Amino acid sequence: IILDDDAWRRMQDAGVRNVDAFVEYQKGKQQFATAHGSNNLIADMREGLIHFNRAIELVPEFGAAYWDMSDYYGHIILDSNSTPEEQANALAELRRVIDAAWRFSGDSPRKAFIDVERVLFSDDWTPLHDRIEKAVATEGCPSPNWIELAVGIGHAEEMLDVWNRFQRCEPLNVIASMKAAQAELWLGNYDRSLNLIEEGEITMGTNSWFASTKAWVYMAMGRAEDALALAPEIEHDVEFAGITGRAMPLALMGDVETAREAMNEWIAQHGRNQWGEIIINATIGDRQTANRLAAEMDARPGGAFLLLLTSVYCGCGAPFDLEYTPNFRERLDESATDWPLETLVDFPAKDW
């Protein structure tokens, strides 16, 4: 196996000298990156997991492999079609692999990003903002994952820098363009956000994840019809944002009943999407249902993390009332995180 200069640099950044292990690691990373722009997220990630496990079999102390594979377990926790047992097992496995990632990462800047995730999936968020600030201050190629949610809790400018640096290190990673665009959205730089997505589409082609990010920008701009036009592409994403493709733009138009119908049709065809249902019920003004679903999510494994994700992706301030989510409220209080989050989109039926 012959590696070019860039591959050697990435191998050094990964902290491994075994070329065969590095090749398996790179295959896993590529599969995960492809999965995040595909219509079969978890199935595609599961294939990437095979390569990460092979890399770890060759080098049991391969910290970067443990870190990158952890994202799979986060998506199992997020998936509403996972059973409670599967979600609990995924949370335990996620904590195991990120602890291994931290232990085997030496003095790599990666450890700072791992520390953020260790907090997000813990029962104590006291050091959350301190951990975020340490991670975004690291130099060199960053290792972001669920730190992406920091964009909605006061760290949008720093996260834009993180994703811009990440994109320079991994220019063909679909996540980089999408998340940099998301940061620009939270900073109110809508044209820059759209330009980043369009540049990504030129380089990597269109996909449902680019489309959903663009739709969120259009909605923040008040361009509900443009967002609705993207629904056919967004709805290819069955496992993440597809449920929002029609419902959210319709809610922004004030067409509450059609938005509700779109959500229910999606559930009937594809199954539950609890975080998406909370968002949609909030945007159509059904506060009671949003609160009931949020209470259910609060009791799930990783519930506080899931509710933070839901709140950030809604961009609607408070999608639910904290009195129904005591675990999440405790995490916000101990981390001194402001609530409600900033409102990016004003939905006419949401009156709180």
Side-chain angles (χ1 to χ4, degrees):
I1 299 173
I2 299 175
L3 302 180
D4 60 21
D5 290 343
D6 183 58
W8 276 111
R9 178 193 60 77
R10 285 184 278 113
M11 185 169 166
Q12 290 175 333
D13 288 344
V16 67
R17 296 182 179 180
N18 184 309
V19 175
D20 291 330
F22 177 70
V23 170
E24 289 293 341
Y25 167 70
Q26 284 296 116
K27 288 179 179 178
K29 279 180 67 74
Q30 181 57 49
Q31 185 64 30
F32 269 34
T34 301
H36 280 80
S38 79
N39 303 324
N40 298 289
L41 174 66
I42 291 177
D44 287 345
M45 291 183 78
R46 195 172 289 121
E47 291 184 19
L49 204 63
I50 295 170
H51 295 292
F52 287 130
N53 280 321
R54 286 176 181 167
I56 290 168
E57 286 175 4
L58 292 167
V59 180
E61 301 83 22
F62 200 161
Y66 283 107
W67 172 233
D68 283 288
M69 74 188 292
S70 69
D71 190 37
Y72 168 77
Y73 301 105
H75 281 282
I76 296 297
I77 295 166
L78 178 61
D79 183 14
S80 297
N81 294 308
S82 301
T83 67
E85 182 180 7
E86 289 170 335
Q87 292 163 2
N89 289 340
L91 179 59
E93 189 64 10
L94 185 147
R95 287 171 171 169
R96 183 189 72 82
V97 297
I98 59 177
D99 282 347
W102 191 91
R103 190 166 62 253
F104 295 133
S105 288
D107 59 356
S108 168
R110 182 188 316 115
K111 292 184 80 166
F113 289 90
I114 297 170
D115 265 336
V116 174
E117 203 138 318
R118 293 172 90 187
V119 173
L120 281 173
F121 286 97
S122 77
D123 297 322
D124 183 359
W125 284 12
T126 302
L128 178 61
H129 291 278
D130 174 70
R131 298 293 189 271
I132 291 170
E133 289 165 6
K134 287 179 179 176
V136 299
T138 59
E139 298 180 352
C141 291
S143 301
N145 190 21
W146 291 113
I147 193 177
E148 67 162 278
L149 300 181
V151 76
I153 55 173
H155 303 277
E157 190 169 348
E158 301 100 304
M159 287 308 301
L160 176 60
D161 176 67
V162 167
W163 291 115
N164 283 338
R165 287 190 286 128
F166 182 74
Q167 188 170 31
R168 288 194 292 272
C169 296
E170 299 194 27
L172 298 181
N173 190 318
V174 66
I175 298 172
S177 297
M178 181 174 63
K179 295 305 175 185
Q182 187 184 46
E184 292 282 22
L185 165 62
W186 277 87
L187 290 168
N189 300 326
Y190 304 138
D191 289 338
R192 291 182 192 173
S193 184
L194 292 174
N195 286 339
L196 282 168
I197 299 168
E198 289 164 4
E199 289 170 5
E201 289 174 332
I202 291 170
T203 304
M204 292 169 275
T206 59
N207 62 63
S208 56
W209 287 53
F210 280 153
S212 61
T213 305
K214 188 183 294 186
W216 264 295
V217 179
Y218 282 151
M219 286 188 286
M221 299 172 76
R223 295 167 56 178
E225 291 184 1
D226 289 328
L228 185 61
L230 293 168
E233 178 69 29
I234 297 170
E235 289 180 334
H236 287 142
D237 177 14
V238 174
E239 295 175 18
F240 196 71
I243 192 172
T244 68
R246 284 185 295 155
M248 286 185 73
L250 288 167
L252 184 57
M253 293 175 182
D255 193 345
V256 168
E257 290 310 314
T258 309
R260 193 192 308 273
E261 289 172 8
M263 175 183 65
N264 289 335
E265 288 171 4
W266 176 271
I267 294 170
Q269 184 174 357
H270 300 289
R272 300 293 305 277
N273 181 322
Q274 196 170 14
W275 72 271
E277 292 171 42
I278 293 171
I279 289 174
I280 294 165
N281 278 288
T283 63
I284 63 176
D286 190 342
R287 192 170 189 169
Q288 181 177 2
T289 301
N291 281 333
R292 175 178 59 78
L293 292 170
E296 294 173 3
M297 182 172 279
D298 191 56
R300 282 174 55 176
F305 159 77
L306 297 173
L307 288 169
L308 179 60
L309 179 145
T310 300
S311 303
V312 171
Y313 272 87
C314 189
C316 62
F320 48 83
D321 295 306
L322 291 181
E323 64 187 272
Y324 292 88
T325 58
N327 293 322
F328 182 56
R329 179 176 58 193
E330 187 173 355
R331 302 290 83 76
L332 293 179
D333 288 345
E334 66 198 7
S335 61
T337 297
D338 291 337
W339 183 266
L341 305 190
E342 182 181 351
T343 296
L344 303 183
V345 185
D346 286 309
F347 294 92
K350 184 178 182 292
D351 57 3
W352 73 93

